[in-house]
Amino acid sequence: MTRFDSVLRLGDDALVAAQRMAHWCACAPQLEEDVALANIALDLLGQARALLTYAGGIEGAGRDEDRLAYQRDEREFTNALLVELPDADFAVAVVKLLFFATYQNLLYQRLATGADTTLAGIAGKAVKETKYHVEHATRWTLRLGDGTVESRRRAQAAVDGLWPFTHELFEPDPLAPVDPAGLREPWAALVRPVLTRATLVVPDDDWRPTGGRVGLHTEGFGYLLGEMQSVHRAHPGARW
Amino acid sequence: MEHTDLAAQRPPGSELLAEQVDAAERDLLAAARPQRRAVGQASFDALIDGEHKVEPTDWMPEGYRAGLIRQIAQHAHSEVVGMQPERNWITRAPSLRRKAILLAKVQDEAGHGLYLYSAAETLGVSREWMLDALHEGRQRYLSFINYPTLTWADVGALAWLTDGAAVVNQVTLCRSSYGPYARAMVRVCREESFHHRQGFDALRVLAAGTPAQRAMAQDAVDRWWYPALAMFGPPHNRSTHSDRSMAWKIKRFSNDELRQRFVDICVPQAEVLGVRLPDPALRWNAERGHHDFTEPDWDELRRVVAGHGPCNRQRMDHRRRVHEDGAWVREAATAYAAKHHGGPQHSTAHQGAPAARQGLPA
Ligand SMILES: [Fe+2]
Ligand SMILES: [Fe+2]
């Protein structure tokens, strides 16, 4: 686990989350959400660009943000599985954002005061952004969980489907600038009360899917990359 | 929308339009008047004749109100349905920088939809009513949106030409006699000129790129030129609403005048870009002081407006599906608000300040 690897993970998480979130643009339940979700996607994309650029610099092999985003294959991406899961409906998007943004916010808070000043700079900006993402996801989790019978059913299904994937976020990595293992407790302390207030139930921890950090992804991920990289790869060496 | 990372090359002629928006805004402020409501036809006419702005509480003729609702709603729908052809390329944008710019642009269009629906709401119709009218085909959106975006270059050509045409049209609407519409237009125009500029910039890079990129750029310009020209609507003698709109100063120039202005602006820009405008008859006419050009195929426009363009059905199916798919979410927000705040309230989630929160790196 090199410094390049750990920054790359952060960048891949943000990039893939941005790519999924961007799908909601012009597909949201109301116009205000088109604006809000596009905003969140833009924040995530901005984080991804800064992190991938920094990772490329650490590596020193001349790979910039686009080389890293567009010219790696599935097996070379190290994002957590959670962020690559497709958004079957708005409830999945909201609950996923609640889980992921809370994790990111805790992580960025610690990185912002860490020894790596470049990373601290990137994280400092991202702390504010992810704080807003958490607030947005919280508001919607409450509305959906405590809204109608139908919205509660969908929100619960989203929690049931996504919760198992949260474990991977906190797998120990003692060499990383911040070991994610230490974030599980504070994360649960933030997320559980939101779910409870939303009348949602946390499922059993019986399944803990993993693999993203070593490039073992879900089957759907190849399609996400294929779509994202298609134009870039069709024109090798072109400028955009 | 923040575009600090766009190249310094501005499309020639764009400063002029920006100045016109500034001037319209100054005049809007100057047109502010003592609080006296128009109470009947005579005082309404006096407002129009005096170049004052009509405000929501003023008396206005039914035709004026209905015409404005029709025009503003159509404009709002165009912003919203117009997101579709561009969103088509967000996930495939060939660089992360272009992805961020495109995403921010499409987000701006959603914001424009919000401003415009709000402006129309001041005339006593709800957004729900307007959306129903759109979904049931009783209100329209601009016809160019019914053409497909087939390559990445379409993103550049679409923004350069159709946002460019929108700016030419909307700059004049900043002087519309209806205050809320004029003010919304000032805001919209400022952002549209950035949209236009990012399209120009994306296309400029392609037109100076590899042979495949250059071909892609030219092909896109070939396909979008006429849909953009048709955006100004049919010639004056064919337009159904023109005369009244002009008398009431909702609209200030004829479709033909605006189209000519647009062609004159595009010609030097195409030269800078290094793309050919697909009209062999296009040439400078020194006598008229304008370019001569071939008009769009009005029969084609009529077919597209009647619903027979390549994407009409797709666009409306998408809109209706998104609206239906979102119904349970809106219902949940209403139910939650009723439980927790003692009554339904609009579930306006944080809207962000589009310009401030985009995080595009400098
Ligand atoms: Fe717009
Ligand atoms: Fe625009």
Side-chain angles (χ1 to χ4, degrees):
Chain A
M1 188 71 197
T2 64
R3 210 153 60 87
F4 165 72
D5 293 322
S6 46
V7 177
L8 188 66
R9 278 181 182 189
L10 300 173
D12 284 351
D13 277 353
L15 176 62
V16 174
Q19 181 76 2
R20 279 288 183 229
M21 192 58 90
H23 267 279
W24 283 98
C25 194
C27 294
Q30 58 190 21
L31 210 42
E32 285 82 356
E33 265 330 90
D34 282 308
V35 175
L37 297 184
N39 239 329
I40 293 170
L42 274 167
D43 288 341
L44 290 166
L45 185 54
Q47 293 164 20
R49 295 182 62 190
L51 289 162
L52 292 179
T53 299
Y54 183 44
I58 294 170
E59 186 191 40
R63 290 203 282 184
D64 63 7
E65 59 179 48
D66 286 339
R67 275 282 294 281
L68 287 169
Y70 290 95
Q71 295 184 37
R72 283 181 299 150
D73 294 326
E74 286 95 312
R75 296 280 287 109
E76 299 168 276
F77 272 79
T78 58
N79 57 283
L81 300 179
L82 177 72
V83 294
E84 74 194 44
L85 300 176
D87 293 339
D89 65 12
F90 185 70
V92 174
V94 163
V95 173
K96 194 200 291 176
L97 182 66
L98 176 71
F99 291 169
F100 180 59
T102 305
Y103 156 79
Q104 273 194 311
N105 186 254
L106 289 168
L107 186 59
Y108 285 138
Q109 279 182 42
R110 284 154 181 77
L111 290 172
T113 54
D116 183 332
T117 52
T118 306
L119 209 46
I122 297 169
K125 180 165 181 282
V127 166
K128 292 180 214 122
E129 294 166 349
T130 50
K131 177 172 176 289
Y132 154 69
H133 303 174
V134 172
E135 288 165 5
H136 192 73
T138 299
R139 272 193 298 272
W140 273 110
T141 302
L142 295 176
R143 286 188 191 119
L144 298 185
D146 194 14
T148 63
V149 172
E150 169 72 353
S151 69
R152 183 176 186 286
R153 181 187 68 74
R154 288 176 183 261
Q156 185 62 56
V159 171
D160 292 346
L162 295 170
W163 184 267
F165 289 90
T166 60
H167 295 287
E168 187 188 19
L169 298 172
F170 306 102
E171 285 173 356
D173 181 6
L175 296 178
V178 171
D179 186 350
L183 301 177
R184 178 80 198 185
E185 281 306 310
W187 179 85
L190 291 168
V191 165
R192 281 178 181 271
V194 174
L195 297 179
T196 305
R197 270 173 67 205
T199 76
L200 298 168
V201 183
V202 174
D204 293 338
D205 286 331
D206 54 353
W207 181 46
R208 298 172 174 235
T210 183
R213 299 303 189 199
V214 291
L216 296 169
H217 292 278
T218 55
E219 287 184 343
F221 186 57
Y223 293 91
L224 180 149
L225 278 194
E227 181 180 23
M228 184 175 85
Q229 297 177 338
S230 59
V231 179
H232 183 100
R233 290 208 184 205
H235 299 269
R239 282 186 55 246
W240 302 99
Chain B
M1 178 168 177
E2 203 177 287
H3 284 280
T4 42
D5 64 344
L6 287 185
Q9 173 79 62
R10 276 176 167 279
S14 58
E15 319 74 21
L16 218 106
L17 289 167
E19 280 163 24
Q20 287 174 26
V21 176
D22 293 340
E25 190 179 36
R26 282 195 299 275
D27 290 353
L28 254 173
L29 294 173
R33 61 199 164 92
Q35 285 299 340
R36 231 192 64 239
R37 296 173 51 211
V39 290
Q41 185 75 52
S43 48
F44 172 83
D45 290 345
L47 283 182
I48 298 283
D49 294 343
E51 293 290 332
H52 292 298
K53 297 298 166 192
V54 179
E55 296 298 337
T57 51
D58 286 319
W59 182 91
M60 57 188 88
E62 250 336 285
Y64 178 85
R65 183 189 301 273
L68 268 173
I69 291 173
R70 183 186 55 76
Q71 183 174 339
I72 302 175
Q74 165 165 334
H75 192 161
H77 298 328
S78 300
E79 301 284 358
V80 172
V81 184
M83 292 163 72
Q84 289 179 41
E86 296 190 286
R87 95 168 281 281
N88 188 33
W89 288 92
I90 292 173
T91 54
R92 290 178 288 171
S95 75
L96 296 185
R97 173 171 161 269
R98 290 286 170 204
K99 189 193 290 289
I101 292 171
L102 180 58
L103 186 51
K105 177 194 188 288
V106 181
Q107 183 202 33
D108 276 356
E109 307 297 11
H112 296 174
L114 284 173
Y115 310 155
L116 285 159
Y117 284 126
S118 300
E121 283 180 328
T122 64
L123 292 160
V125 290
S126 69
R127 197 203 302 180
E128 289 67 30
W129 179 84
M130 289 180 271
L131 285 175
D132 286 345
L134 170 68
H135 297 154
E136 290 161 15
R138 286 180 284 116
Q139 287 178 344
R140 298 183 186 288
Y141 53 91
L142 287 168
S143 60
F144 79 87
I145 296 162
N146 293 311
Y147 291 85
T149 50
L150 299 176
T151 72
W152 167 252
D154 287 34
V155 169
L158 185 62
W160 173 48
L161 292 171
T162 69
D163 286 88
V167 173
V168 168
N169 193 23
Q170 290 168 12
V171 160
T172 70
L173 296 177
C174 295
R175 295 180 174 280
S176 164
S177 60
Y178 188 57
Y181 191 29
R183 288 189 288 273
M185 277 301 102
V186 167
R187 243 174 123 180
V188 167
C189 273
R190 293 247 157 78
E191 291 178 353
E192 290 299 346
S193 60
F194 284 122
H195 297 177
H196 174 241
R197 191 173 153 206
Q198 66 84 29
F200 180 86
D201 185 70
L203 208 53
R204 191 181 51 78
V205 172
L206 292 177
T210 65
Q213 285 177 307
R214 289 206 297 274
M216 199 196 284
Q218 184 60 54
D219 170 58
V221 171
D222 289 348
R223 283 181 289 109
W224 286 101
W225 173 246
Y226 279 111
L229 282 195
M231 278 172 74
F232 297 96
H236 189 68
N237 55 16
R238 290 206 196 196
S239 169
T240 32
H241 301 290
S242 274
D243 288 333
R244 264 188 341 176
S245 288
M246 291 197 37
W248 278 328
K249 299 180 183 171
I250 293 174
K251 203 179 141 157
R252 324 243 5 178
F253 295 91
S254 76
N255 296 348
D256 300 307
E257 283 172 288
L258 293 174
R259 186 168 15 254
Q260 180 70 62
R261 191 178 292 181
F262 176 66
V263 171
D264 290 340
I265 288 173
C266 283
V267 170
Q269 292 181 352
E271 268 164 38
V272 172
L273 285 172
V275 294
R276 180 173 24 81
L277 296 173
D279 178 2
L282 183 68
R283 65 178 57 83
W284 178 249
N285 180 328
E287 241 166 77
R288 291 201 307 122
H290 291 292
H291 293 86
D292 291 337
F293 62 97
T294 310
E295 299 243 319
D297 176 348
W298 299 119
D299 289 333
E300 177 176 328
L301 178 67
R302 196 166 340 102
R303 282 196 302 276
V304 175
V305 169
H308 302 144
C311 298
N312 297 61
R313 291 182 188 201
Q314 179 192 328
R315 301 290 184 238
M316 286 311 295
D317 286 349
H318 178 95
R319 255 316 307 169
R320 281 190 285 257
R321 189 177 61 248
V322 163
H323 194 69
E324 282 161 22
D325 286 355
W328 70 270
V329 176
R330 298 190 298 274
E331 282 158 18
T334 308
Y336 180 84
K339 280 187 219 177
H340 293 270
H341 307 289
Q345 71 173 31
H346 215 57
S347 57
T348 41
H350 175 100
Q351 291 176 23
R357 285 193 39 84
Q358 318 250 289
L360 294 184

